[in-house]
Amino acid sequence: MKNVTRTICLTLALLLGSVGTGCGPDFDKGLAATQSGHFATALREWRPLAEQGDARAQFNLGVMYVKGQGVPQDDKTALKWYTLAAEQGNADAQYNLGVMYYNGQGVPQDDKTALKWYTLAAEQGNADAQYNLGVMYDNGQGVPQDNKTALKWYTLAAEQGNADAQYNLGMMYDKGEGVPQDDKSALKWFTLAAEQGYARAQYNLGVMYYEGLGVPQDDKSALKWYTLAAEQGDADAQYNLGLMYANGEGVPQDDKSALKWYTLAAEQGLADAQYSLGVMYANGYGVPQDDKSALKWYTLAAEQEDAFAQYNLGVMYYEGQGVPQDDKSALKWFTLSAEQGYARAQNNLGVMYYNGEGVIKDNVYAHMWGNIAASNGLEKAVEFRDWVGEKMTPSQLETSQRIAGECVRKQYKGC
């Protein structure tokens, strides 16, 4: 599963109270006024209360200044009222203060002060503050990084139904961060977040059902969760859904549906989907065969360092498919793929060195790349390497073997 950067919840808490809660007639009048959109009336009712020290009125004034409801939008004045309410122990004000310090909203950005206010709100049971505190310990923001403390706060927020916390808790159990690795617990928390519509949790559930992690392997359940995440625009889920339709896993094989989901993921920049889309256009799967479209998608994936796309792009330039034949471009893409360890590209480089295509003919380098490709398990490279070796002197063979070893040690870069 791909990790996702854990981010703070930046949503401010909204107005406090409901009519008839016993906060006092003036407070209730203000609340009723806001509910009918009469913010000027609410301001008249709440300002005197706030100035007398009513924490709820102070908090609500802060909200009104943040939102510009009945007053010009003014973060500094909002900060003033939130601070007064927070210092009286109002948890929502403490949480909102934390958000403002974290964002540098009306005040210089300050992680340590954000942490202070989140902690005070979290200790009163504010789930959003507990979640944000977990993120700060998780990321080491304003405090030394501490997985165990992050886990503590995520758990408290998750148990109150906070979907972000449930997802992050699932990630911690999945990766064994701050807790022993535990697929079943990861599955539990991902499920709770997924059932609230959290797309990334839905994607991770799809992965767990597909791979049988913490649950019996189940293609149909994987398909269900991938679909829910994909429909929310999750690119990884869209790609995996495309794979399942392409392979007929959990659903009848369907190239057109595979093409649809690959396209949605590819348009978001996912390299694996771009490569797969290139394959479909190149072979006419679910779409008329189209070398130019294949070239387009291979190029986008190759520019993101997808080794298979780089290799296929090399083949297209080498053979002049969808583009004028161009040995130098073929050599470029084969080289990039070969440097990532792709044996077919390594062997093709050997062939180009042997034939002098796009590069000066050089049997030593031809043999070197054939030898490297053979060592990476490509059977036809063994035949090519030995065939070239028959045309070389003992000194050339010795040189080729030496530079092949050096190339491997350099992880195929700059050979």
Side-chain angles (χ1 to χ4, degrees):
M1 274 170 279
K2 295 187 177 180
N3 199 359
V4 175
T5 302
R6 285 145 191 175
T7 56
I8 292 284
C9 175
L10 300 179
T11 304
L12 293 166
L14 301 180
L15 296 173
L16 277 178
S18 58
V19 175
T21 57
C23 298
D26 293 337
F27 185 90
D28 283 353
K29 285 179 187 177
L31 194 60
T34 62
Q35 291 170 347
S36 58
H38 297 133
F39 297 112
T41 300
L43 189 71
R44 285 197 304 272
E45 298 295 336
W46 283 339
R47 187 183 293 280
L49 293 174
E51 290 171 346
Q52 293 169 36
D54 185 300
R56 284 192 163 198
Q58 291 168 341
F59 169 75
N60 285 1
L61 277 189
V63 173
M64 293 182 76
Y65 276 100
V66 161
K67 292 178 166 290
Q69 294 174 327
V71 292
Q73 199 280 337
D74 185 342
D75 286 336
K76 287 186 182 294
T77 302
L79 191 86
K80 163 194 162 183
W81 289 113
Y82 284 152
T83 302
L84 289 169
E87 287 173 345
Q88 294 195 67
N90 184 288
D92 290 301
Q94 291 167 342
Y95 166 72
N96 281 12
L97 264 187
V99 172
M100 294 189 80
Y101 277 99
Y102 185 85
N103 289 335
Q105 187 178 348
V107 67
Q109 199 282 335
D110 186 339
D111 283 339
K112 288 187 180 294
T113 303
L115 188 89
K116 165 191 165 181
W117 290 113
Y118 285 149
T119 301
L120 290 169
E123 288 172 345
Q124 293 195 68
N126 184 292
D128 288 333
Q130 292 168 340
Y131 165 72
N132 283 3
L133 206 48
V135 172
M136 295 191 81
Y137 278 100
D138 199 354
N139 294 335
Q141 294 171 289
V143 68
Q145 199 281 337
D146 185 340
N147 284 332
K148 288 189 180 295
T149 303
L151 188 88
K152 164 192 165 181
W153 289 113
Y154 285 151
T155 302
L156 289 169
E159 288 173 346
Q160 293 195 68
N162 183 291
D164 292 305
Q166 291 168 342
Y167 170 74
N168 282 7
L169 202 50
M171 291 298 295
M172 296 193 82
Y173 278 103
D174 176 62
K175 295 184 175 297
E177 295 174 336
V179 68
Q181 199 282 337
D182 184 342
D183 284 335
K184 288 187 181 294
S185 293
L187 188 88
K188 166 191 168 180
W189 291 112
F190 286 148
T191 301
L192 289 169
E195 288 173 345
Q196 293 194 65
Y198 199 99
R200 203 63 195 170
Q202 293 168 340
Y203 163 73
N204 283 3
L205 269 189
V207 172
M208 297 191 81
Y209 278 101
Y210 185 80
E211 297 183 359
L213 299 171
V215 68
Q217 198 282 334
D218 184 342
D219 284 339
K220 289 190 180 295
S221 292
L223 190 87
K224 165 193 165 181
W225 290 112
Y226 283 150
T227 301
L228 288 169
E231 288 172 346
Q232 292 195 68
D234 187 287
D236 292 308
Q238 291 167 341
Y239 169 67
N240 283 8
L241 200 52
L243 281 176
M244 295 191 79
Y245 277 102
N247 297 329
E249 296 172 308
V251 68
Q253 199 281 336
D254 184 343
D255 283 336
K256 289 189 182 293
S257 292
L259 188 87
K260 165 191 167 181
W261 290 112
Y262 285 153
T263 301
L264 289 169
E267 288 173 346
Q268 292 195 66
L270 192 72
D272 287 338
Q274 292 168 340
Y275 165 72
S276 295
L277 207 49
V279 171
M280 296 195 82
Y281 277 102
N283 293 290
Y285 297 147
V287 68
Q289 198 280 336
D290 184 343
D291 283 336
K292 289 190 181 294
S293 293
L295 188 87
K296 165 191 166 182
W297 291 111
Y298 284 151
T299 301
L300 289 170
E303 289 172 346
Q304 294 194 68
E305 301 183 355
D306 185 289
F308 300 123
Q310 291 168 339
Y311 169 75
N312 283 6
L313 203 49
V315 171
M316 295 191 82
Y317 277 102
Y318 187 79
E319 297 182 356
Q321 294 176 317
V323 68
Q325 199 281 335
D326 184 342
D327 284 338
K328 288 192 179 294
S329 292
L331 189 84
K332 165 192 167 182
W333 291 111
F334 285 148
T335 300
L336 289 170
S337 181
E339 287 178 343
Q340 294 197 65
Y342 191 51
R344 289 180 179 273
Q346 292 166 341
N347 191 62
N348 283 12
L349 272 185
V351 170
M352 294 191 80
Y353 272 102
Y354 180 79
N355 292 332
E357 296 168 313
V359 68
I360 296 171
K361 177 178 171 62
D362 189 327
N363 284 356
V364 170
Y365 277 91
H367 185 273
M368 179 199 80
W369 281 115
N371 195 12
I372 289 171
S375 73
N376 283 324
L378 188 66
E379 290 185 11
K380 72 175 184 178
V382 175
E383 183 180 346
F384 170 72
R385 176 200 63 195
D386 294 346
W387 181 73
V388 174
E390 292 171 1
K391 307 176 191 322
M392 297 169 66
T393 66
S395 176
Q396 288 175 322
L397 281 170
E398 182 181 348
T399 299
S400 174
Q401 290 164 352
R402 175 177 56 78
I403 63 175
E406 292 172 355
C407 184
V408 170
R409 284 191 290 276
K410 294 190 292 185
Q411 297 183 321
Y412 315 119
K413 304 292 194 296
C415 300

